[in-house]
Amino acid sequence: MTTETRAPWRYVLVTLGVTVVFTVWYLLYVTVGAGPAALAYLAMPLTAAVASVAALDLVRRAPLNRLARRFWRFMIVAFGFLTAGYTLLAVAAFQQSPVLPSMPVPAAALAGAGFLTAMWAMIRVPLGVSSSGERWRQWLDRSIAFLGCGTVLFHFGLAPLITSAGAWTAQAITLIGMSFALAVGAVTKVAYIRGGPIDRSALRLIGSTGLVAAATAVLMTTAGEPGTIPAQAMIMPLAPALGALAVRRQWISTGERSRRANTWLPYLAVAAVDVPLIAVIPGSLTWTDRLVIVASVIVTALVTVRQFVAFRENARLLREKRASEERLQHEVSHDGLTGLANRALYRERLAAQLASADATVLLIDLDDFKTVNDSLGHDVGDRLLIAVAEVLRAETGADGLPVRLGGDEFAVLVAAPAAEGRPVPGEAIAQRILDAFTGPVSEHQLLVHASIGIATGAAGSPLDRLQRDADVAMYAAKQRGKANWVRYHDGMQQPVSTHAQLGGELRRAIDAGEFAIFYQPIVALATGRVVGVEALVRWLHPTRGVVSPAEFIPAAEGTGLIVPLGRFVLREACRQAAAWLTEFGPEVLQKVAPNVSARQLHDPDFVQDVRAALAETGLPADRLVLELTESAVLRGPMVSRALHELHACGVRMALDDFGTGESSLSLLRSFPASIVKLDKSFVDGIELDEPGSAAADARQAVARAVQQLAGALGLATVAEGIENQEQADRLMLLGYSLGQGYHLARPMPAADMTRLLASQRDRAAA
Ligand code: C2E
Ligand code: CA
Ligand code: CA
């Protein structure tokens, strides 16, 4: 440190030098009677002046912070006052020589101002205390220490001066009293300062200047007037010397902090106060003795209060410590966002359970989370995860431990079977969770779907195997389509390819043109006439044959490849429909309906893509119907704007899988749909007239309600998944005129569809 090398020794050397010189002089004075006694009075003003200059130099040249600078400015002034006061005293000494001088009032006033300034500077040094409890305790500690030490010094130092005959002027006694106060105050305060802006050792040195006064007082009481000369020449200049030393300490201070505050001082003070107490008790009491007794009583009372405060403070600290330990424990074992248990705690509990018993886990993966996160932002994504966690917590209840493994992956560790109780079946929890997700969650009213894999490991089996089984089951659940659970069983196929691998393969397949579109007729139920087609993509895999979209659409959505794939489907469907219109005339088809994913709607180019597809294939906009799911259109203002723009172009929209969400009604009002497609789940079993079957009743009720609602809003309806004539008949009774399903026609390649349309034209012509 450069400041360290520059910190000057000279002020220390000069002050100590002056002290030594005057000590030598005093020895000569006593032995050979050298010089006038008045010479002794020069030591103090000389050294005090040097100390003042030292402090001035420090303030000018050393890098100090604001508080330290203030403190040392006060010290310049304090030593300055002392210099002036003792200079006046020295002048009086030479004037009155050879008689020793009594202190002139202006001299005493200046010196007093010096002590007061130093005291004030000490008082203003901050303690660096944090809590109010600690402040209280310190205040008590310091009062105890101050009173205790002060009483001792008072009894042995000041009281004899005050009570002895009048050789001592009131000024001198006051000055000595003040330096006592400074000394004791400084010592008790410095003991409690934990470092900070002002160097601790420097403060100690300044504080101990007061001890010089104590030494002076002792010397004077024991030696009387003869003690004055050695005091002036040898002892008092030590105070400025200590000041100069303090300046140097501050100069080389490293600003070190956080030393432990003093804890033994108050106890020492209590012990100390007993000494004068014991000393005064046997004799007859003077008023100063009574003061000592009063001080002792006060100290004892303060100690009692202090113990109480310390006790309360300790109790509080203990509470805080326990709370922070618990918090820490919770933090390392729980997920910060959702508050669920984290992977670490999950593995720990799972391992513990597997060590002694069977363990069942549910692995839960959200199907559309990535889309939400990408399109609506992390904030909405986070809220969704929190809402999902809430659902897991509620549905799991006491039956297991819900966990967030990371990202959108969750798990439930099913509770170990109670002593003689039956194990909680994982399936029940899985079904409850899936049921809870049939309605929208989070304040954004989002629909989420979860795929759940369930696996059970035998006692003692490795944790990682169980985890892998659950993974395989979860993948199988995903393959079966959204919102499913699957339990792992031996021999269950390892996934052919993981999501990532499938993504890579899809990319290649798009480039290689392995995708084709199948068309499924949408039929007038009463006449069997084809009124439109739904376009369904197929992957003509070189080795696996025709792959269902249920297997690869989720991966395509997850990787974003759905955007180019969807663009291809849209373009190809428009091209094919335009070709049929040209070949068979405008009456052959009212609509072609490709499916559109949420992810596509978020593509900023989507509207432009649709416009271009129509323009380039020549398909009239009113022949195109986009099939969208509720969860896709419920994706915020950007999607809404795109849909309204398309509506304005004349493109129609159909709400797919209608009735599976809960927000359908409000959705129909805000979204420019023209068609609703009644979900297959309400068609399944609608023909069964089992009296009292709540399920059949409910399905019919939904089918009827959807039809009435659509009618009231002026929307067309299509019933999906019709697999027999009874269903078709029942749906017609309920008011449905259009339908789709294997019973009417299966999805077929374009060439088959062309033949079907041709035969229909021929029949019409006949
Ligand atoms: P979706 O839009 O609900 O399509 C109807 C699905 O039900 C089709 O399955 C169809 O083959 C099937 N289906 C039709 N009639 C019946 C029936 O009577 N019984 C039964 N059991 N099923 C019937 P597919 O073609 O496997 O498509 C599955 C899902 O994949 C579609 O459900 C759709 O959500 C999605 N998808 C298909 N093609 C595309 C596409 O080009 N883009 C996007 N984004 N998604 C597509
Ligand atoms: Ca569809
Ligand atoms: Ca559908």
Side-chain angles (χ1 to χ4, degrees):
M1 232 166 98
T2 48
T3 46
E4 183 162 0
T5 53
R6 268 195 260 120
W9 271 113
R10 56 175 174 272
Y11 304 113
V12 181
L13 293 177
V14 170
T15 48
L16 286 176
V18 170
T19 314
V20 169
V21 166
F22 276 86
T23 307
V24 172
W25 166 82
Y26 176 70
L27 292 177
L28 294 176
Y29 171 80
V30 247
T31 50
V32 299
L39 270 178
Y41 289 84
L42 287 178
M44 182 63 182
L46 277 176
T47 48
V50 174
S52 185
V53 171
L56 185 70
D57 197 15
L58 176 77
V59 169
R60 283 231 180 108
R61 293 202 294 133
L64 298 178
N65 65 38
R66 193 177 55 81
L67 288 171
R69 193 166 296 277
R70 186 180 71 189
F71 175 82
W72 287 104
R73 283 219 181 97
F74 276 124
M75 293 326 276
I76 300 171
V77 175
F79 281 114
F81 275 132
L82 290 175
T83 310
Y86 283 95
T87 305
L88 287 188
L89 179 62
V91 170
F94 280 102
Q95 281 171 351
Q96 294 166 32
S97 179
V99 183
L100 290 187
S102 57
M103 199 160 197
V105 175
L110 283 168
F115 285 118
L116 285 176
T117 310
M119 270 191 252
W120 180 239
M122 289 302 290
I123 288 168
R124 296 201 58 186
V125 173
L127 280 170
V129 182
S130 46
S131 71
S132 74
E134 199 183 348
R135 190 164 312 148
W136 245 101
R137 210 195 49 200
Q138 286 212 354
W139 189 87
L140 281 167
D141 274 1
R142 288 170 52 208
S143 306
I144 293 165
F146 183 85
L147 264 180
C149 301
T151 308
V152 179
L153 284 177
F154 172 81
H155 180 74
F156 294 109
L158 213 50
L161 276 187
I162 298 168
T163 47
S164 73
W168 296 98
T169 59
Q171 294 100 306
I173 291 171
T174 311
L175 278 188
I176 291 172
M178 272 161 60
S179 45
F180 274 168
L182 172 63
V184 181
V187 167
T188 53
K189 177 150 189 178
V190 168
Y192 284 94
I193 289 174
R194 299 194 176 174
I198 300 148
D199 185 80
R200 244 173 89 97
S201 319
L203 278 177
R204 277 218 197 97
L205 286 165
I206 293 285
S208 50
T209 57
L211 297 176
V212 171
T216 311
V218 171
L219 189 67
M220 286 174 169
T221 29
T222 49
E225 191 151 321
T228 307
I229 294 172
Q232 288 286 346
M234 295 158 59
I235 298 178
M236 287 174 55
L238 283 176
L242 287 171
L245 211 56
V247 165
R248 213 193 106 77
R249 278 307 312 186
Q250 176 70 60
W251 213 304
I252 61 174
S253 168
T254 55
E256 141 248 41
R257 285 185 74 93
S258 80
R259 286 249 204 105
R260 262 170 55 74
N262 197 297
T263 48
W264 48 261
L265 192 65
Y267 299 101
L268 191 76
V270 179
V273 81
D274 289 336
V275 177
L277 191 62
I278 291 162
V280 300
I281 281 170
S284 60
L285 301 181
T286 66
W287 68 269
T288 55
D289 296 342
R290 285 178 215 280
L291 217 58
V292 166
I293 291 171
V294 170
S296 311
V297 171
I298 293 175
V299 165
T300 315
L302 287 177
V303 167
T304 315
V305 175
R306 189 229 182 244
Q307 288 313 90
F308 178 70
V309 170
F311 170 76
R312 285 228 330 230
E313 180 82 355
N314 285 348
R316 187 182 62 81
L317 284 176
L318 213 65
R319 265 201 314 277
E320 270 177 14
K321 183 165 165 291
R322 218 171 283 142
S324 82
E325 266 169 11
E326 273 165 21
R327 209 164 39 238
L328 206 70
Q329 188 55 41
H330 191 270
E331 261 164 34
V332 298
S333 59
H334 287 76
D335 172 49
L337 178 67
T338 61
L340 291 185
N342 66 11
R343 186 183 285 272
L345 182 61
Y346 166 72
R347 289 186 70 92
E348 188 187 313
R349 294 275 173 86
L350 180 54
Q353 197 171 322
L354 269 179
S356 59
D358 286 2
T360 298
V361 298
L362 273 58
L363 208 63
I364 304 158
D365 192 85
L366 302 186
D367 292 328
D368 322 294
F369 181 70
K370 200 174 146 26
T371 327
V372 174
N373 222 25
D374 290 352
S375 51
L376 299 185
H378 291 290
D379 233 37
V380 178
D382 284 356
R383 301 281 175 75
L384 181 60
L385 290 175
I386 293 168
V388 166
E390 234 12 88
V391 168
L392 293 187
R393 213 176 267 133
E395 301 306 329
T396 306
D399 293 344
L401 176 74
V403 182
R404 180 172 176 218
L405 294 175
D408 60 346
E409 259 200 315
F410 294 86
V412 172
L413 170 57
V414 178
E420 78 287 7
R422 304 232 322 274
V424 185
E427 285 83 350
I429 303 175
Q431 193 54 51
R432 287 206 299 267
I433 292 169
L434 292 182
D435 289 348
F437 283 142
T438 53
V441 297
S442 101
E443 75 265 40
H444 296 97
Q445 296 292 298
L446 297 169
L447 280 173
V448 285
H449 296 284
S451 298
I452 305 180
I454 308 174
T456 299
S461 67
L463 184 153
D464 286 325
R465 163 127 54 84
L466 173 56
Q467 194 63 21
R468 205 193 49 222
D469 290 352
D471 223 30
V472 169
M474 200 265 289
Y475 191 80
K478 261 200 192 309
Q479 297 248 305
R480 287 193 195 172
K482 292 165 176 177
N484 253 308
W485 61 259
V486 168
R487 175 177 270 283
Y488 178 82
H489 56 80
D490 278 337
M492 187 176 252
Q493 278 301 302
Q494 288 282 333
V496 202
S497 39
T498 65
H499 237 50
Q501 279 173 314
L502 193 59
E505 248 201 291
L506 279 173
R507 174 83 266 173
R508 184 195 55 73
I510 293 174
D511 295 340
E514 287 177 12
F515 291 96
I517 299 181
F518 277 32
Y519 295 92
Q520 185 177 32
I522 295 164
V523 174
L525 290 174
T527 62
R529 221 184 96 82
V530 175
V531 298
V533 288
E534 176 172 1
L536 296 157
V537 71
R538 296 288 179 271
W539 184 358
L540 309 178
H541 196 277
T543 56
R544 291 167 66 196
V546 180
V547 182
S548 149
E551 268 191 64
F552 61 85
I553 292 290
E557 285 173 338
T559 53
L561 286 172
I562 192 67
V563 172
L565 181 61
R567 201 177 286 139
F568 160 76
V569 171
L570 175 72
R571 178 77 48 131
E572 180 55 22
C574 289
R575 192 200 59 72
Q576 183 60 65
W580 283 326
L581 287 175
T582 315
E583 190 176 350
F584 301 111
E587 295 305 309
V588 69
L589 275 181
Q590 289 164 21
K591 62 186 175 188
V592 60
N595 293 279
V596 175
S597 295
R599 183 70 179 72
Q600 289 173 269
L601 295 178
H602 279 286
D603 187 50
D605 297 332
F606 182 69
V607 174
Q608 189 44 44
D609 282 349
V610 175
R611 282 213 189 97
L614 292 173
E616 286 164 32
T617 60
L619 183 74
D622 65 355
R623 302 288 168 122
L624 180 63
V625 171
L626 303 178
E627 293 203 359
L628 311 162
T629 58
E630 285 171 58
S631 55
V633 301
L634 269 179
R635 290 281 166 96
M638 188 183 145
V639 167
S640 181
R641 201 173 319 120
L643 296 179
H644 279 96
E645 262 178 65
L646 289 170
H647 180 67
C649 299
V651 174
R652 286 178 292 164
M653 269 146 274
L655 259 189
D656 209 349
D657 305 342
F658 192 80
T660 52
E662 265 177 12
S663 51
S664 311
L665 188 67
S666 60
L667 191 67
L668 281 178
R669 275 198 256 109
S670 60
F671 160 70
S674 326
I675 299 160
V676 290
K677 297 188 78 174
L678 179 70
D679 190 66
K680 181 175 182 303
S681 56
F682 302 107
V683 174
D684 284 342
I686 199 171
E687 75 282 15
L688 305 174
D689 260 325
E690 298 163 39
S693 159
D697 284 354
R699 275 193 287 270
Q700 285 198 23
V702 172
R704 185 182 294 115
V706 167
Q707 177 57 38
Q708 284 170 353
L709 189 64
L713 294 170
L715 307 176
T717 52
V718 176
E720 285 189 292
I722 301 173
E723 294 184 336
N724 56 50
Q725 190 55 42
E726 289 72 34
Q727 288 173 347
D729 292 343
R730 180 55 60 101
L731 286 162
M732 275 191 283
L733 276 178
L734 290 171
Y736 287 83
S737 55
L738 299 178
Q740 188 183 348
Y742 291 173
H743 171 66
L744 304 165
R746 290 199 170 236
M748 60 189 85
D752 292 358
M753 191 69 214
T754 306
R755 267 191 290 283
L756 180 70
L757 292 174
S759 72
Q760 185 166 291
R761 178 196 54 185
D762 296 346
R763 245 185 294 132

